[in-house]
Amino acid sequence: MDEILVRYCHFIGIIVLAGTLVAKHMMLTGELNLAQMQKIARIDRVYGLSALIVLLAGLTLWFGVGKPAEFYAKNWVFHLKVSLFIVMALLSIYPTIYINKICRAKQKLVNVPKSIINTVRLELTCLVIIPLSAVYMAKGYGLYAS
């Protein structure tokens, strides 16, 4: 039962993470007012919380209630999946700092730099590849020969 609950939290976290990232991408366009930026900041906080839930549930599956840790440690596809998640986390820092800076400064109107939008698009690209690697992993691909 523990494993089911942890997997459920993991999946819900992933769904919320994907939804908030898509929402953020759709909202970060051209010229935005302060109210719009504050809404994006709230979405970004939910995105961060969902990423934390995904991380904690994933670590619990890896070291606690999931398959033996060795299964994950010896699977290059799993390492790819984790690496992409880390890349997403690192990429998310730049837009988060920018959004929070704009909200703290209480700027009435702001033109969103293309670099912010492109960074979110890179995060989305990672997000598209992660489930594919999970499917491959579930089918047994990527296991190193012992």
Side-chain angles (χ1 to χ4, degrees):
M1 186 67 171
D2 290 341
E3 182 180 359
I4 292 170
L5 289 173
V6 173
R7 285 191 188 283
Y8 180 74
C9 288
H10 195 62
F11 288 137
I12 293 297
I14 292 166
I15 292 165
V16 172
L17 183 137
T20 54
L21 187 57
V22 168
K24 188 165 62 169
H25 179 259
M26 291 177 67
M27 293 179 74
L28 282 171
T29 58
E31 197 172 77
L32 299 172
N33 63 38
L34 181 59
Q36 291 168 314
M37 286 303 288
Q38 289 171 335
K39 187 180 283 189
I40 293 169
R42 286 191 297 274
I43 289 169
D44 192 56
R45 285 191 289 278
V46 174
Y47 173 73
L49 180 61
S50 65
L52 183 61
I53 290 168
V54 170
L55 176 66
L56 294 175
L59 289 172
T60 303
L61 288 169
W62 186 359
F63 296 111
V65 297
K67 293 180 170 98
E70 184 178 284
F71 170 83
Y72 298 106
K74 291 187 175 186
N75 192 315
W76 70 266
V77 176
F78 174 74
H79 291 280
L80 171 66
K81 186 175 138 184
V82 170
S83 296
L84 287 169
F85 185 79
I86 292 168
V87 167
M88 275 183 71
L90 293 173
L91 285 170
S92 74
I93 294 168
Y94 175 49
T96 297
I97 289 171
Y98 174 79
I99 292 163
N100 289 332
K101 185 177 93 173
I102 296 299
C103 288
R104 275 195 311 274
K106 305 246 188 251
Q107 283 184 255
K108 300 285 184 215
L109 215 52
V110 62
N111 281 315
V112 179
K114 200 73 167 155
S115 60
I116 296 292
I117 296 166
N118 287 335
T119 301
V120 173
R121 287 179 181 159
L122 283 172
E123 289 178 75
L124 284 166
T125 302
C126 291
L127 184 62
V128 168
I129 299 168
I130 289 171
L132 179 62
S133 62
V135 170
Y136 273 104
M137 218 176 77
K139 289 294 186 181
Y141 291 99
L143 291 174
Y144 293 118
S146 297

